[in-house]
Amino acid sequence: QLPGVESGGGLVQPGGSLRLSCAASGLTTSSYGIGWFRQAPGKEREGVSCISTRGSTTAYADSVQGRFTISRDNAKNTVYLQMNSLKPEDTATYYCAPVLPGALAAGYCRRMGDGWGQGTQVTVSS
């Protein structure tokens, strides 16, 4: 139920790539689907992508479809977000957290619980 610990953000030019990591504690003993969310200044937090407990099901926001790829390594208790072809509108603070399994099954990402971690900043600018 606790949020993950995010890393991997940074400053990148449009068209560049970043790989975010989410350390999900206890994943091997109490597994959850995990989602990536982002929040830009003045905007609401939005779901970006999420992945099921075993990684068999994934979902993506329309805005990142075809550019971002989510994956997980349960042995390392880590979920990744590979971000390619980055655009200025991807600039935001990115967070990871458990997601509701029913929402994931329906194709969207909704946070399970109400807590958020520190996040990692992604800035896409020339």
Side-chain angles (χ1 to χ4, degrees), residues 11-84:
L11 175 63
V12 65
Q13 293 185 350
S17 298
L18 287 172
R19 190 188 193 192
L20 306 184
S21 297
C22 170
S25 180
L27 195 60
T28 60
T29 58
S30 182
S31 298
Y32 304 92
I34 299 294
W36 285 96
F37 302 79
R38 66 186 182 187
Q39 186 169 28
K43 297 184 178 180
E44 296 293 321
R45 184 178 287 106
E46 63 176 342
V48 177
S49 181
C50 45
I51 187 168
S52 62
T53 301
R54 298 185 62 187
S56 58
T57 303
T58 59
Y60 297 91
D62 290 343
S63 59
V64 306
Q65 182 71 45
R67 300 187 297 119
F68 291 9
T69 302
I70 191 170
S71 62
R72 70 190 302 163
D73 184 343
N74 285 345
K76 298 178 67 175
N77 295 333
T78 303
V79 176
Y80 304 97
L81 185 67
Q82 178 66 47
M83 306 187 295
N84 298 326

Side-chain angles (χ1 to χ4, degrees), residues 78-112:
T78 303
V79 176
Y80 304 97
L81 185 67
Q82 178 66 47
M83 306 187 295
N84 298 326
S85 302
L86 283 163
K87 304 175 180 180
E89 51 263 44
D90 295 318
T91 296
T93 302
Y94 285 70
Y95 306 86
C96 64
V99 297
L100 293 171
L104 175 57
Y108 66 96
C109 309
R110 186 173 181 180
R111 199 264 194 275
M112 177 185 294

Side-chain angles (χ1 to χ4, degrees), residues 1-7 22-23 35 37 39 45 93-98 111 114-121:
Q1 297 295 316
L2 295 175
V5 178
E6 305 89 346
S7 63
C22 170
F37 302 79
Q39 186 169 28
R45 184 178 287 106
T93 302
Y94 285 70
Y95 306 86
C96 64
R111 199 264 194 275
D114 58 3
W116 299 98
Q118 182 177 344
T120 186
Q121 178 67 38

